[in-house]
Amino acid sequence: MSLTEQREPPDDAGLPPDADIERDPRVKRTAAEEARITSMVSAHFDFVWRSLRRRGLPPHAADDAAQQVFLVASRRIADIRDGAERAFLFHTALRVGSEASRAFVHRREVLNDDGDFADVRDSAPSPEEQVGRTRALELLDTVLAELPEELRTVLVLSEIEGLEGKEIAEMLSIPTGTVASRLRRAREDFQSAVKRLRAREQFQERGR
Amino acid sequence: MTDDRLLRDDGDPLAQELLRAGAEERPSDEARARTLAALGITGVGAGAAAGAAGIAATPRGRAGLGRLVRWIGLAVTIAVAVGFGWRALRPDAPSVSVPSAESVATAPAATPADQAVVASPSVGETVALSVPVVAPASAPKRMPALSAAPAASQDTGLAAEVAALDRARGALASGDAPRALLALDDYKRSFPHGVLGQEAAVVRIEALVRSGNPSAARALADRFLAANPSSPHAPRVRHLVGEQDPP
């Protein structure tokens, strides 16, 4: 599947995510819509945020981009079919994430890398754990960056988000067989990339 | 998940830890609260959503991180015990690095040009091939703990491959590009599908440049860049063939 295909909203979601971008999210919203949006935030904020992180955005940029995703969803709430919320959010996150990534690349040189990860707040991990976490996430993104996008997408949805093949197929509007074959290749590629990561480090160590 | 078992449950230990770290990552409560505020949602609904955030943020298994820390510690121990990496440290050796592109390294078109190389490099002593190996812009730190993989048999193969490519790099560092090319041929014969294919390709491009064969270097560089346009080594390759400033 092409990137364009992935970034299209689900067929039943209606217009493109930014079709009515000017509308104030708080205008003309019914109580039911507000409750639905609140529910979407509650149920899917973590998923959206992680999806943005795995597209290479640092935490603070993922915060902003996630907010943008939900603002778009709020504007489009009437167009989003019941049950299609997560798919809509995911496709919107792909688009918003791509734009944010481009902006981030331009600003990256002035950012403090440690600061980028400083606001990954959780259940107050120990300093040792925080070092391990930050490093693991860096390595994860390094490895994921080696995978073609269509493989990276299914791998993240399966291995990180825990979605079933059928759910992934529905979200991406592709056959379950395609999901299975992509997952198989994605896992092979991921393992190979991890292997390369080690080998390069060994190579690097010997050169020091 | 589909038919296969999840990598994070049944894969390479490092792959498992990385994937678990990704699954356990959570946004901050503040980020969620700011989003709700931007949406104009306050009151009970926002409280419920924020509460869910708090709940979601807490349970993340520290066990996974603990395992990672312990694994890294174990890896370091193994590295020291086995002498992996350290025993072969050479103060004069440059640090080379490139990501995956064995398709380029093994491309048949490279062979004739490579074999035609004879001339010694006009360049001197030190070949500076320092490229930030694996790290993209967001991951500048080195990763010494990864030098030792958990599977001993795999490490043995990787160590041999690293050593083979290291011979080529060493020859290049000493200014002997033709010998580096021969060493690369040996590497290619021994590891036709090695994991350091991209690294080998970059060393070969460097060796071709140093040995006065820029057209062969350019041809290989073009294939490398075509096959790996987003490789972290792409800037280095472009620099080697004069397309851009040093990365």
Side-chain angles (χ1 to χ4, degrees):
Chain A
M1 182 171 66
S2 69
L3 295 186
T4 304
E5 193 179 345
Q6 281 189 27
R7 287 169 188 164
E8 287 298 322
D11 292 338
D12 53 357
L15 302 172
D18 55 354
D20 57 351
I21 199 113
E22 290 81 16
R23 201 173 91 187
D24 187 313
R26 285 161 289 194
V27 174
K28 297 177 184 174
R29 206 161 60 197
T30 67
E33 286 176 337
E34 181 153 324
R36 191 177 176 208
I37 293 166
T38 303
S39 174
M40 286 170 66
V41 174
S42 176
H44 302 303
F45 190 82
D46 287 10
F47 167 73
V48 167
W49 188 84
R50 273 195 305 273
S51 297
L52 293 161
R53 286 282 289 127
R54 298 288 75 79
R55 296 188 69 77
L57 293 181
H60 72 273
D63 290 353
D64 295 343
Q67 183 178 115
Q68 181 63 31
V69 169
F70 281 96
L71 285 171
V72 170
S74 173
R75 295 177 186 117
R76 297 283 314 282
I77 190 68
D79 302 321
I80 304 172
R81 181 177 58 81
D82 280 344
E85 293 88 354
R86 185 166 58 180
F88 178 89
L89 292 169
F90 179 70
H91 287 274
T92 305
L94 289 181
R95 184 180 62 81
V96 171
S98 294
E99 293 169 0
S101 293
R102 284 194 291 273
F104 173 64
V105 165
H106 292 147
R107 301 197 315 268
R108 192 163 49 194
E109 63 274 11
V110 299
L111 295 176
N112 179 321
D113 283 331
D114 292 331
D116 289 345
F117 289 92
D119 58 352
V120 181
R121 299 176 204 90
D122 206 329
S123 50
S126 69
E128 184 185 41
E129 287 175 338
Q130 186 61 55
V131 169
R133 179 193 306 273
T134 301
R135 183 174 171 79
L137 292 171
E138 289 175 351
L139 295 177
L140 173 64
D141 288 337
T142 297
V143 173
L144 287 175
E146 292 199 27
L147 271 60
E149 175 142 0
E150 70 272 16
L151 300 188
R152 186 175 64 213
T153 297
V154 296
L155 186 81
V156 168
L157 289 174
S158 172
E159 294 280 353
I160 293 180
E161 298 303 332
L163 268 62
E164 299 287 337
K166 183 170 178 289
E167 295 175 291
I168 298 172
E170 290 172 355
M171 183 172 286
L172 301 179
S173 301
I174 57 177
T176 52
T178 303
V179 172
S181 63
R182 286 184 186 178
L183 262 179
R184 203 160 36 245
R185 283 191 292 142
R187 290 187 176 117
E188 290 170 1
D189 286 5
F190 188 86
Q191 300 246 57
S192 296
V194 168
K195 197 174 171 187
R196 282 195 295 274
L197 186 70
R198 273 200 203 96
R200 284 181 205 136
E201 185 62 20
Q202 290 176 16
F203 189 52
Q204 182 90 331
E205 284 292 330
R206 296 171 70 96
R208 286 175 190 159
Chain B
M1 181 46 209
T2 54
D3 316 328
D4 305 327
R5 282 190 285 184
L6 288 170
L7 272 185
R8 74 182 197 214
D9 295 331
D10 190 35
D12 173 288
L14 179 58
Q16 287 186 37
E17 295 296 349
L18 299 188
L19 290 167
R20 284 178 186 151
E24 291 165 358
E25 192 181 23
R26 285 293 181 278
S28 67
D29 292 350
E30 290 82 356
R32 187 188 306 255
R34 282 196 300 271
T35 294
L36 288 168
L39 291 166
I41 296 173
T42 56
V44 177
I55 292 168
T58 39
R60 288 334 161 159
R62 300 226 203 138
L65 290 169
R67 279 194 298 272
L68 176 61
V69 171
R70 286 195 296 277
W71 187 87
I72 290 175
L74 178 62
V76 171
T77 304
I78 293 171
V80 172
V82 177
F84 230 5
W86 294 104
R87 67 185 171 191
L89 281 178
R90 292 196 316 271
D92 59 328
S95 74
V96 176
S97 42
V98 192
S100 57
E102 63 191 24
S103 59
V104 168
T106 57
T111 307
D114 295 353
Q115 291 173 344
V117 171
V118 189
S120 183
S122 59
V123 194
E125 310 64 59
T126 305
V127 182
L129 278 179
S130 54
V131 176
V133 183
V134 175
S138 62
K141 300 175 184 65
R142 301 173 79 89
M143 292 159 278
L146 298 180
S147 295
S153 58
Q154 184 185 54
D155 284 353
T156 303
L158 290 175
E161 184 178 348
V162 168
L165 192 52
D166 202 39
R167 283 191 285 277
R169 188 176 62 178
L172 197 56
S174 66
D176 192 345
R179 187 162 60 87
L181 289 167
L182 290 174
L184 286 167
D185 290 342
D186 287 342
Y187 166 84
K188 185 175 166 183
R189 276 192 294 274
S190 301
F191 304 96
H193 305 293
V195 297
L196 293 171
Q198 283 195 20
E199 284 76 2
V202 175
V203 175
R204 186 179 290 276
I205 292 167
E206 174 92 13
L208 289 169
V209 170
R210 301 287 182 193
S211 59
N213 196 339
S215 59
R218 162 70 70 168
L220 183 55
D222 287 346
R223 289 204 305 282
F224 180 95
L225 294 170
N228 308 277
S230 59
S231 166
H233 303 294
R236 173 68 185 165
V237 169
R238 292 192 187 95
H239 168 64
L240 285 172
V241 295
E243 285 185 4
Q244 71 175 48
D245 293 334

